[in-house]
PDB file of all heavy atoms in Angstrom:
ATOM      1  N   TRP A   1      -0.271  -4.424 -15.405  1.00  0.00           N
ATOM      2  CA  TRP A   1      -1.354  -3.507 -15.222  1.00  0.00           C
ATOM      3  C   TRP A   1      -2.553  -3.989 -16.005  1.00  0.00           C
ATOM      4  O   TRP A   1      -2.503  -4.405 -17.159  1.00  0.00           O
ATOM      5  CB  TRP A   1      -0.960  -2.103 -15.727  1.00  0.00           C
ATOM      6  CG  TRP A   1      -0.102  -1.326 -14.834  1.00  0.00           C
ATOM      7  CD1 TRP A   1       1.228  -1.147 -14.939  1.00  0.00           C
ATOM      8  CD2 TRP A   1      -0.562  -0.496 -13.670  1.00  0.00           C
ATOM      9  NE1 TRP A   1       1.700  -0.329 -13.953  1.00  0.00           N
ATOM     10  CE2 TRP A   1       0.666   0.058 -13.159  1.00  0.00           C
ATOM     11  CE3 TRP A   1      -1.755  -0.291 -13.081  1.00  0.00           C
ATOM     12  CZ2 TRP A   1       0.623   0.871 -12.074  1.00  0.00           C
ATOM     13  CZ3 TRP A   1      -1.765   0.518 -11.972  1.00  0.00           C
ATOM     14  CH2 TRP A   1      -0.647   1.091 -11.397  1.00  0.00           C
ATOM     15  N   PHE A   2      -3.722  -3.955 -15.345  1.00  0.00           N
ATOM     16  CA  PHE A   2      -5.032  -4.406 -15.843  1.00  0.00           C
ATOM     17  C   PHE A   2      -5.993  -3.239 -15.509  1.00  0.00           C
ATOM     18  O   PHE A   2      -5.831  -2.442 -14.724  1.00  0.00           O
ATOM     19  CB  PHE A   2      -5.456  -5.622 -15.231  1.00  0.00           C
ATOM     20  CG  PHE A   2      -4.712  -6.889 -15.586  1.00  0.00           C
ATOM     21  CD1 PHE A   2      -3.479  -7.247 -15.009  1.00  0.00           C
ATOM     22  CD2 PHE A   2      -5.177  -7.791 -16.522  1.00  0.00           C
ATOM     23  CE1 PHE A   2      -2.753  -8.260 -15.199  1.00  0.00           C
ATOM     24  CE2 PHE A   2      -4.411  -8.860 -16.817  1.00  0.00           C
ATOM     25  CZ  PHE A   2      -3.162  -9.182 -16.207  1.00  0.00           C
ATOM     26  N   ARG A   3      -7.107  -3.262 -16.320  1.00  0.00           N
ATOM     27  CA  ARG A   3      -8.202  -2.338 -16.097  1.00  0.00           C
ATOM     28  C   ARG A   3      -9.517  -3.001 -16.293  1.00  0.00           C
ATOM     29  O   ARG A   3      -9.581  -3.993 -17.104  1.00  0.00           O
ATOM     30  CB  ARG A   3      -8.012  -1.087 -16.954  1.00  0.00           C
ATOM     31  CG  ARG A   3      -8.191  -1.336 -18.482  1.00  0.00           C
ATOM     32  CD  ARG A   3      -7.812  -0.055 -19.311  1.00  0.00           C
ATOM     33  NE  ARG A   3      -8.055  -0.282 -20.610  1.00  0.00           N
ATOM     34  CZ  ARG A   3      -7.872   0.665 -21.674  1.00  0.00           C
ATOM     35  NH1 ARG A   3      -7.253   1.802 -21.252  1.00  0.00           N
ATOM     36  NH2 ARG A   3      -8.159   0.468 -22.892  1.00  0.00           N
ATOM     37  N   GLN A   4     -10.465  -2.417 -15.677  1.00  0.00           N
ATOM     38  CA  GLN A   4     -11.781  -3.097 -15.720  1.00  0.00           C
ATOM     39  C   GLN A   4     -12.851  -1.880 -15.711  1.00  0.00           C
ATOM     40  O   GLN A   4     -12.883  -1.130 -14.637  1.00  0.00           O
ATOM     41  CB  GLN A   4     -12.153  -4.021 -14.627  1.00  0.00           C
ATOM     42  CG  GLN A   4     -13.389  -4.831 -14.903  1.00  0.00           C
ATOM     43  CD  GLN A   4     -13.470  -5.984 -13.974  1.00  0.00           C
ATOM     44  OE1 GLN A   4     -12.823  -6.153 -12.943  1.00  0.00           O
ATOM     45  NE2 GLN A   4     -14.190  -6.979 -14.475  1.00  0.00           N
ATOM     46  N   ALA A   5     -13.645  -1.747 -16.797  1.00  0.00           N
ATOM     47  CA  ALA A   5     -14.659  -0.719 -16.772  1.00  0.00           C
ATOM     48  C   ALA A   5     -16.063  -1.531 -16.382  1.00  0.00           C
ATOM     49  O   ALA A   5     -16.163  -2.752 -16.525  1.00  0.00           O
ATOM     50  CB  ALA A   5     -14.850  -0.181 -18.066  1.00  0.00           C
ATOM     51  N   PRO A   6     -16.995  -0.660 -15.995  1.00  0.00           N
ATOM     52  CA  PRO A   6     -18.372  -1.437 -15.500  1.00  0.00           C
ATOM     53  C   PRO A   6     -18.900  -2.207 -16.723  1.00  0.00           C
ATOM     54  O   PRO A   6     -18.913  -1.675 -17.891  1.00  0.00           O
ATOM     55  CB  PRO A   6     -19.184  -0.205 -15.207  1.00  0.00           C
ATOM     56  CG  PRO A   6     -18.196   0.752 -14.732  1.00  0.00           C
ATOM     57  CD  PRO A   6     -16.905   0.683 -15.603  1.00  0.00           C
ATOM     58  N   GLY A   7     -19.293  -3.385 -16.445  1.00  0.00           N
ATOM     59  CA  GLY A   7     -19.983  -4.261 -17.429  1.00  0.00           C
ATOM     60  C   GLY A   7     -18.925  -4.868 -18.456  1.00  0.00           C
ATOM     61  O   GLY A   7     -19.436  -5.683 -19.343  1.00  0.00           O
ATOM     62  N   LYS A   8     -17.692  -4.712 -18.262  1.00  0.00           N
ATOM     63  CA  LYS A   8     -16.649  -5.405 -19.230  1.00  0.00           C
ATOM     64  C   LYS A   8     -15.760  -6.131 -18.421  1.00  0.00           C
ATOM     65  O   LYS A   8     -15.564  -6.148 -17.205  1.00  0.00           O
ATOM     66  CB  LYS A   8     -15.896  -4.155 -19.856  1.00  0.00           C
ATOM     67  CG  LYS A   8     -16.713  -3.209 -20.758  1.00  0.00           C
ATOM     68  CD  LYS A   8     -15.820  -2.237 -21.480  1.00  0.00           C
ATOM     69  CE  LYS A   8     -16.666  -1.421 -22.425  1.00  0.00           C
ATOM     70  NZ  LYS A   8     -15.891  -0.424 -23.149  1.00  0.00           N
ATOM     71  N   GLU A   9     -15.060  -7.064 -19.171  1.00  0.00           N
ATOM     72  CA  GLU A   9     -14.143  -7.927 -18.575  1.00  0.00           C
ATOM     73  C   GLU A   9     -12.827  -7.209 -18.289  1.00  0.00           C
ATOM     74  O   GLU A   9     -12.437  -6.262 -18.788  1.00  0.00           O
ATOM     75  CB  GLU A   9     -13.812  -9.118 -19.503  1.00  0.00           C
ATOM     76  CG  GLU A   9     -14.956 -10.108 -19.814  1.00  0.00           C
ATOM     77  CD  GLU A   9     -14.582 -11.190 -20.768  1.00  0.00           C
ATOM     78  OE1 GLU A   9     -13.471 -11.132 -21.376  1.00  0.00           O
ATOM     79  OE2 GLU A   9     -15.350 -12.211 -20.837  1.00  0.00           O
ATOM     80  N   ARG A  10     -12.073  -7.771 -17.406  1.00  0.00           N
ATOM     81  CA  ARG A  10     -10.727  -7.147 -17.042  1.00  0.00           C
ATOM     82  C   ARG A  10      -9.795  -7.286 -18.165  1.00  0.00           C
ATOM     83  O   ARG A  10      -9.698  -8.444 -18.661  1.00  0.00           O
ATOM     84  CB  ARG A  10     -10.150  -7.800 -15.774  1.00  0.00           C
ATOM     85  CG  ARG A  10      -8.924  -7.131 -15.181  1.00  0.00           C
ATOM     86  CD  ARG A  10      -8.732  -7.589 -13.673  1.00  0.00           C
ATOM     87  NE  ARG A  10      -9.708  -7.179 -12.736  1.00  0.00           N
ATOM     88  CZ  ARG A  10      -9.674  -7.288 -11.496  1.00  0.00           C
ATOM     89  NH1 ARG A  10      -8.602  -7.832 -10.921  1.00  0.00           N
ATOM     90  NH2 ARG A  10     -10.744  -6.935 -10.824  1.00  0.00           N
ATOM     91  N   GLU A  11      -9.215  -6.208 -18.577  1.00  0.00           N
ATOM     92  CA  GLU A  11      -8.355  -6.173 -19.695  1.00  0.00           C
ATOM     93  C   GLU A  11      -6.889  -5.910 -19.346  1.00  0.00           C
ATOM     94  O   GLU A  11      -6.573  -5.026 -18.630  1.00  0.00           O
ATOM     95  CB  GLU A  11      -8.878  -4.933 -20.573  1.00  0.00           C
ATOM     96  CG  GLU A  11      -8.095  -4.706 -21.833  1.00  0.00           C
ATOM     97  CD  GLU A  11      -8.526  -3.384 -22.625  1.00  0.00           C
ATOM     98  OE1 GLU A  11      -9.200  -2.577 -21.989  1.00  0.00           O
ATOM     99  OE2 GLU A  11      -8.054  -3.227 -23.560  1.00  0.00           O
ATOM    100  N   GLY A  12      -6.002  -6.649 -20.031  1.00  0.00           N
ATOM    101  CA  GLY A  12      -4.569  -6.413 -19.869  1.00  0.00           C
ATOM    102  C   GLY A  12      -4.098  -5.246 -20.470  1.00  0.00           C
ATOM    103  O   GLY A  12      -4.465  -4.983 -21.714  1.00  0.00           O
ATOM    104  N   VAL A  13      -3.353  -4.353 -19.806  1.00  0.00           N
ATOM    105  CA  VAL A  13      -2.895  -3.047 -20.312  1.00  0.00           C
ATOM    106  C   VAL A  13      -1.357  -3.125 -20.606  1.00  0.00           C
ATOM    107  O   VAL A  13      -0.959  -2.782 -21.764  1.00  0.00           O
ATOM    108  CB  VAL A  13      -3.233  -1.961 -19.256  1.00  0.00           C
ATOM    109  CG1 VAL A  13      -2.552  -0.631 -19.748  1.00  0.00           C
ATOM    110  CG2 VAL A  13      -4.659  -1.853 -19.056  1.00  0.00           C
ATOM    111  N   SER A  14      -0.557  -3.596 -19.727  1.00  0.00           N
ATOM    112  CA  SER A  14       0.859  -3.657 -19.968  1.00  0.00           C
ATOM    113  C   SER A  14       1.565  -4.550 -18.929  1.00  0.00           C
ATOM    114  O   SER A  14       0.984  -4.955 -17.915  1.00  0.00           O
ATOM    115  CB  SER A  14       1.511  -2.242 -19.735  1.00  0.00           C
ATOM    116  OG  SER A  14       2.803  -2.166 -20.070  1.00  0.00           O
ATOM    117  N   CYS A  15       2.642  -5.037 -19.306  1.00  0.00           N
ATOM    118  CA  CYS A  15       3.385  -5.931 -18.367  1.00  0.00           C
ATOM    119  C   CYS A  15       4.912  -5.715 -18.565  1.00  0.00           C
ATOM    120  O   CYS A  15       5.370  -5.456 -19.684  1.00  0.00           O
ATOM    121  CB  CYS A  15       3.123  -7.350 -18.654  1.00  0.00           C
ATOM    122  SG  CYS A  15       3.903  -8.516 -17.438  1.00  0.00           S
ATOM    123  N   ILE A  16       5.670  -5.548 -17.526  1.00  0.00           N
ATOM    124  CA  ILE A  16       7.195  -5.388 -17.570  1.00  0.00           C
ATOM    125  C   ILE A  16       7.804  -6.646 -16.863  1.00  0.00           C
ATOM    126  O   ILE A  16       7.318  -7.036 -15.792  1.00  0.00           O
ATOM    127  CB  ILE A  16       7.593  -4.148 -16.922  1.00  0.00           C
ATOM    128  CG1 ILE A  16       9.058  -3.891 -17.080  1.00  0.00           C
ATOM    129  CG2 ILE A  16       7.105  -4.020 -15.600  1.00  0.00           C
ATOM    130  CD1 ILE A  16       9.488  -2.474 -16.842  1.00  0.00           C
ATOM    131  N   SER A  17       8.771  -7.261 -17.541  1.00  0.00           N
ATOM    132  CA  SER A  17       9.461  -8.437 -16.970  1.00  0.00           C
ATOM    133  C   SER A  17      10.342  -7.975 -15.756  1.00  0.00           C
ATOM    134  O   SER A  17      10.815  -6.871 -15.684  1.00  0.00           O
ATOM    135  CB  SER A  17      10.275  -9.063 -18.106  1.00  0.00           C
ATOM    136  OG  SER A  17      11.327  -9.835 -17.496  1.00  0.00           O
ATOM    137  N   GLY A  18      10.553  -8.992 -14.886  1.00  0.00           N
ATOM    138  CA  GLY A  18      11.498  -8.765 -13.710  1.00  0.00           C
ATOM    139  C   GLY A  18      12.902  -8.694 -14.205  1.00  0.00           C
ATOM    140  O   GLY A  18      13.734  -8.129 -13.386  1.00  0.00           O
ATOM    141  N   THR A  19      13.258  -9.096 -15.398  1.00  0.00           N
ATOM    142  CA  THR A  19      14.561  -8.899 -15.953  1.00  0.00           C
ATOM    143  C   THR A  19      14.676  -7.630 -16.673  1.00  0.00           C
ATOM    144  O   THR A  19      15.793  -7.299 -17.102  1.00  0.00           O
ATOM    145  CB  THR A  19      14.832 -10.056 -16.917  1.00  0.00           C
ATOM    146  OG1 THR A  19      14.000  -9.994 -18.113  1.00  0.00           O
ATOM    147  CG2 THR A  19      14.731 -11.417 -16.304  1.00  0.00           C
ATOM    148  N   ASP A  20      13.660  -6.846 -16.792  1.00  0.00           N
ATOM    149  CA  ASP A  20      13.613  -5.569 -17.511  1.00  0.00           C
ATOM    150  C   ASP A  20      13.966  -5.755 -19.019  1.00  0.00           C
ATOM    151  O   ASP A  20      14.386  -4.748 -19.682  1.00  0.00           O
ATOM    152  CB  ASP A  20      14.581  -4.536 -16.839  1.00  0.00           C
ATOM    153  CG  ASP A  20      14.071  -4.008 -15.580  1.00  0.00           C
ATOM    154  OD1 ASP A  20      12.952  -3.873 -15.382  1.00  0.00           O
ATOM    155  OD2 ASP A  20      14.971  -3.888 -14.649  1.00  0.00           O
ATOM    156  N   SER A  21      13.855  -6.936 -19.502  1.00  0.00           N
ATOM    157  CA  SER A  21      14.139  -7.098 -20.883  1.00  0.00           C
ATOM    158  C   SER A  21      12.913  -7.379 -21.819  1.00  0.00           C
ATOM    159  O   SER A  21      12.978  -7.389 -23.050  1.00  0.00           O
ATOM    160  CB  SER A  21      14.946  -8.364 -21.032  1.00  0.00           C
ATOM    161  OG  SER A  21      14.310  -9.553 -20.579  1.00  0.00           O
ATOM    162  N   GLN A  22      11.659  -7.471 -21.214  1.00  0.00           N
ATOM    163  CA  GLN A  22      10.478  -7.671 -21.977  1.00  0.00           C
ATOM    164  C   GLN A  22       9.347  -6.822 -21.493  1.00  0.00           C
ATOM    165  O   GLN A  22       9.160  -6.705 -20.308  1.00  0.00           O
ATOM    166  CB  GLN A  22       9.934  -9.196 -21.702  1.00  0.00           C
ATOM    167  CG  GLN A  22      11.039 -10.230 -22.258  1.00  0.00           C
ATOM    168  CD  GLN A  22      11.034 -10.207 -23.747  1.00  0.00           C
ATOM    169  OE1 GLN A  22      10.162  -9.850 -24.604  1.00  0.00           O
ATOM    170  NE2 GLN A  22      12.297 -10.669 -24.384  1.00  0.00           N
ATOM    171  N   ILE A  23       8.733  -6.119 -22.364  1.00  0.00           N
ATOM    172  CA  ILE A  23       7.681  -5.180 -22.206  1.00  0.00           C
ATOM    173  C   ILE A  23       6.623  -5.356 -23.191  1.00  0.00           C
ATOM    174  O   ILE A  23       6.774  -5.601 -24.340  1.00  0.00           O
ATOM    175  CB  ILE A  23       8.036  -3.748 -22.115  1.00  0.00           C
ATOM    176  CG1 ILE A  23       8.969  -3.392 -20.983  1.00  0.00           C
ATOM    177  CG2 ILE A  23       6.873  -2.771 -22.143  1.00  0.00           C
ATOM    178  CD1 ILE A  23       9.645  -1.938 -21.021  1.00  0.00           C
ATOM    179  N   TYR A  24       5.335  -5.546 -22.694  1.00  0.00           N
ATOM    180  CA  TYR A  24       4.085  -5.667 -23.688  1.00  0.00           C
ATOM    181  C   TYR A  24       3.123  -4.566 -23.245  1.00  0.00           C
ATOM    182  O   TYR A  24       2.966  -4.116 -22.145  1.00  0.00           O
ATOM    183  CB  TYR A  24       3.663  -7.097 -23.397  1.00  0.00           C
ATOM    184  CG  TYR A  24       4.540  -8.294 -23.623  1.00  0.00           C
ATOM    185  CD1 TYR A  24       5.263  -8.825 -22.573  1.00  0.00           C
ATOM    186  CD2 TYR A  24       4.622  -8.772 -24.910  1.00  0.00           C
ATOM    187  CE1 TYR A  24       6.177  -9.833 -22.791  1.00  0.00           C
ATOM    188  CE2 TYR A  24       5.450  -9.775 -25.112  1.00  0.00           C
ATOM    189  CZ  TYR A  24       6.291 -10.334 -24.067  1.00  0.00           C
ATOM    190  OH  TYR A  24       7.136 -11.427 -24.345  1.00  0.00           O
ATOM    191  N   TYR A  25       2.408  -4.426 -24.301  1.00  0.00           N
ATOM    192  CA  TYR A  25       1.221  -3.383 -24.245  1.00  0.00           C
ATOM    193  C   TYR A  25       0.059  -3.957 -24.899  1.00  0.00           C
ATOM    194  O   TYR A  25       0.176  -4.699 -25.970  1.00  0.00           O
ATOM    195  CB  TYR A  25       1.453  -2.007 -24.895  1.00  0.00           C
ATOM    196  CG  TYR A  25       2.619  -1.276 -24.188  1.00  0.00           C
ATOM    197  CD1 TYR A  25       3.943  -1.270 -24.647  1.00  0.00           C
ATOM    198  CD2 TYR A  25       2.369  -0.614 -23.019  1.00  0.00           C
ATOM    199  CE1 TYR A  25       5.031  -0.582 -24.127  1.00  0.00           C
ATOM    200  CE2 TYR A  25       3.456   0.191 -22.347  1.00  0.00           C
ATOM    201  CZ  TYR A  25       4.727   0.243 -22.916  1.00  0.00           C
ATOM    202  OH  TYR A  25       5.773   0.791 -22.269  1.00  0.00           O
ATOM    203  N   GLY A  26      -1.076  -3.786 -24.361  1.00  0.00           N
ATOM    204  CA  GLY A  26      -2.411  -4.087 -25.087  1.00  0.00           C
ATOM    205  C   GLY A  26      -2.563  -3.275 -26.291  1.00  0.00           C
ATOM    206  O   GLY A  26      -1.983  -2.052 -26.339  1.00  0.00           O
ATOM    207  N   ASP A  27      -3.220  -3.833 -27.232  1.00  0.00           N
ATOM    208  CA  ASP A  27      -3.390  -3.118 -28.652  1.00  0.00           C
ATOM    209  C   ASP A  27      -4.007  -1.665 -28.446  1.00  0.00           C
ATOM    210  O   ASP A  27      -3.631  -0.732 -29.096  1.00  0.00           O
ATOM    211  CB  ASP A  27      -4.086  -3.843 -29.620  1.00  0.00           C
ATOM    212  CG  ASP A  27      -3.314  -5.157 -30.016  1.00  0.00           C
ATOM    213  OD1 ASP A  27      -2.085  -5.169 -29.928  1.00  0.00           O
ATOM    214  OD2 ASP A  27      -4.048  -6.048 -30.664  1.00  0.00           O
ATOM    215  N   SER A  28      -4.930  -1.579 -27.496  1.00  0.00           N
ATOM    216  CA  SER A  28      -5.708  -0.260 -27.350  1.00  0.00           C
ATOM    217  C   SER A  28      -4.889   0.757 -26.797  1.00  0.00           C
ATOM    218  O   SER A  28      -5.322   1.945 -26.809  1.00  0.00           O
ATOM    219  CB  SER A  28      -6.896  -0.592 -26.564  1.00  0.00           C
ATOM    220  OG  SER A  28      -6.591  -1.016 -25.246  1.00  0.00           O
ATOM    221  N   VAL A  29      -3.810   0.422 -26.049  1.00  0.00           N
ATOM    222  CA  VAL A  29      -2.931   1.521 -25.525  1.00  0.00           C
ATOM    223  C   VAL A  29      -1.526   1.697 -26.062  1.00  0.00           C
ATOM    224  O   VAL A  29      -0.792   2.553 -25.686  1.00  0.00           O
ATOM    225  CB  VAL A  29      -2.898   1.363 -23.893  1.00  0.00           C
ATOM    226  CG1 VAL A  29      -4.208   1.140 -23.238  1.00  0.00           C
ATOM    227  CG2 VAL A  29      -1.956   0.065 -23.584  1.00  0.00           C
ATOM    228  N   LYS A  30      -1.218   0.822 -27.026  1.00  0.00           N
ATOM    229  CA  LYS A  30       0.053   0.934 -27.650  1.00  0.00           C
ATOM    230  C   LYS A  30       0.357   2.273 -28.172  1.00  0.00           C
ATOM    231  O   LYS A  30      -0.490   2.966 -28.814  1.00  0.00           O
ATOM    232  CB  LYS A  30       0.159  -0.126 -28.798  1.00  0.00           C
ATOM    233  CG  LYS A  30       1.574  -0.287 -29.520  1.00  0.00           C
ATOM    234  CD  LYS A  30       1.402  -1.318 -30.479  1.00  0.00           C
ATOM    235  CE  LYS A  30       2.843  -1.498 -31.173  1.00  0.00           C
ATOM    236  NZ  LYS A  30       2.797  -2.535 -32.270  1.00  0.00           N
ATOM    237  N   ASP A  31       1.621   2.798 -27.956  1.00  0.00           N
ATOM    238  CA  ASP A  31       2.007   4.132 -28.416  1.00  0.00           C
ATOM    239  C   ASP A  31       1.481   5.282 -27.549  1.00  0.00           C
ATOM    240  O   ASP A  31       1.895   6.428 -27.904  1.00  0.00           O
ATOM    241  CB  ASP A  31       1.841   4.357 -29.907  1.00  0.00           C
ATOM    242  CG  ASP A  31       2.502   3.347 -30.844  1.00  0.00           C
ATOM    243  OD1 ASP A  31       3.618   2.924 -30.482  1.00  0.00           O
ATOM    244  OD2 ASP A  31       1.851   3.038 -31.860  1.00  0.00           O
ATOM    245  N   ARG A  32       0.644   5.043 -26.619  1.00  0.00           N
ATOM    246  CA  ARG A  32       0.160   6.042 -25.778  1.00  0.00           C
ATOM    247  C   ARG A  32       0.574   5.871 -24.237  1.00  0.00           C
ATOM    248  O   ARG A  32       0.843   6.873 -23.612  1.00  0.00           O
ATOM    249  CB  ARG A  32      -1.441   6.045 -25.827  1.00  0.00           C
ATOM    250  CG  ARG A  32      -1.863   6.300 -27.170  1.00  0.00           C
ATOM    251  CD  ARG A  32      -3.428   6.655 -27.119  1.00  0.00           C
ATOM    252  NE  ARG A  32      -4.257   5.493 -26.719  1.00  0.00           N
ATOM    253  CZ  ARG A  32      -4.968   5.420 -25.640  1.00  0.00           C
ATOM    254  NH1 ARG A  32      -5.126   6.483 -24.882  1.00  0.00           N
ATOM    255  NH2 ARG A  32      -5.614   4.287 -25.245  1.00  0.00           N
ATOM    256  N   PHE A  33       0.706   4.525 -23.834  1.00  0.00           N
ATOM    257  CA  PHE A  33       1.069   4.266 -22.436  1.00  0.00           C
ATOM    258  C   PHE A  33       2.522   3.884 -22.410  1.00  0.00           C
ATOM    259  O   PHE A  33       2.996   3.232 -23.307  1.00  0.00           O
ATOM    260  CB  PHE A  33       0.196   3.201 -21.895  1.00  0.00           C
ATOM    261  CG  PHE A  33      -1.260   3.616 -21.685  1.00  0.00           C
ATOM    262  CD1 PHE A  33      -1.746   4.841 -22.104  1.00  0.00           C
ATOM    263  CD2 PHE A  33      -2.126   2.807 -20.911  1.00  0.00           C
ATOM    264  CE1 PHE A  33      -3.023   5.267 -21.839  1.00  0.00           C
ATOM    265  CE2 PHE A  33      -3.338   3.188 -20.659  1.00  0.00           C
ATOM    266  CZ  PHE A  33      -3.897   4.351 -21.083  1.00  0.00           C
ATOM    267  N   THR A  34       3.188   4.156 -21.321  1.00  0.00           N
ATOM    268  CA  THR A  34       4.682   3.748 -21.144  1.00  0.00           C
ATOM    269  C   THR A  34       4.726   3.091 -19.745  1.00  0.00           C
ATOM    270  O   THR A  34       4.374   3.684 -18.691  1.00  0.00           O
ATOM    271  CB  THR A  34       5.683   4.757 -21.310  1.00  0.00           C
ATOM    272  OG1 THR A  34       5.489   5.381 -22.639  1.00  0.00           O
ATOM    273  CG2 THR A  34       6.926   4.278 -21.168  1.00  0.00           C
ATOM    274  N   ILE A  35       5.217   1.876 -19.595  1.00  0.00           N
ATOM    275  CA  ILE A  35       5.457   1.188 -18.261  1.00  0.00           C
ATOM    276  C   ILE A  35       6.913   1.292 -17.956  1.00  0.00           C
ATOM    277  O   ILE A  35       7.749   1.235 -18.889  1.00  0.00           O
ATOM    278  CB  ILE A  35       4.927  -0.323 -18.218  1.00  0.00           C
ATOM    279  CG1 ILE A  35       4.907  -0.755 -16.871  1.00  0.00           C
ATOM    280  CG2 ILE A  35       5.814  -1.008 -19.276  1.00  0.00           C
ATOM    281  CD1 ILE A  35       4.274  -2.146 -16.775  1.00  0.00           C
TER     282      ILE A  35
END
């Protein structure tokens, strides 16, 4: 998942592995978003 606000670069939000063993969150959404 990525997001982009006007005038800003596209930012990585979260990623989930195809093996369901690895999940990552961007620092700005950690502990608030769940993939």
Side-chain angles (χ1 to χ4, degrees):
W1 282 97
F2 294 79
R3 66 187 184 186
Q4 188 166 25
K8 296 184 178 180
E9 295 184 349
R10 189 163 296 188
E11 175 188 15
V13 175
S14 185
C15 185
I16 183 168
S17 169
T19 66
D20 291 324
S21 63
Q22 299 290 329
I23 293 176
Y24 299 93
Y25 296 101
D27 290 341
S28 63
V29 306
K30 185 179 180 180
D31 298 325
R32 297 189 297 120
F33 291 9
T34 302
I35 190 171

